[in-house]
Amino acid sequence: MLDGRWKLDILFRLFERPVLRFAELQRSLSGVSHKVLIQQLRDLETDGLVLRTDHAEVPPHVDYRLTQGGEALRPVLVALRDFARSHSAIEPLPVSPAD
């Protein structure tokens, strides 16, 4: 569900701004290709975390927002991020060679 290089980044962008157009997402994620971003967004949509809205306007545009399922992940992912940040300076335990 959350595998993939860009999925967490996409979700955190949507935590910050509740509705984002595709182009805004792509600009905010430096290094992601158009193809990969589309695939990651489709996966998140299939998993029920992101809602895609296709506006029938000229010029056409698509925007994305979190579903209730996506919103439910917010406290968990924010806590995980905060834990990782606060423990990043801790020295890792040495790994003993297999006997």
Side-chain angles (χ1 to χ4, degrees), residues 47-65:
D47 292 336
L49 301 178
V50 170
L51 177 66
R52 178 184 188 269
T53 305
D54 189 355
H55 299 275
E57 299 176 350
V58 176
H61 75 275
V62 174
D63 62 43
Y64 296 88
R65 68 186 74 233

Side-chain angles (χ1 to χ4, degrees), residues 56-99:
E57 299 176 350
V58 176
H61 75 275
V62 174
D63 62 43
Y64 296 88
R65 68 186 74 233
L66 295 171
T67 63
Q68 285 182 323
E71 281 292 342
L73 278 176
R74 180 191 303 249
V76 175
L77 294 179
V78 168
L80 185 61
R81 179 197 62 196
D82 294 346
F83 175 84
R85 285 180 177 170
S86 67
H87 290 80
S88 64
I90 297 174
E91 290 289 322
L93 295 173
V95 178
S96 59
D99 291 310

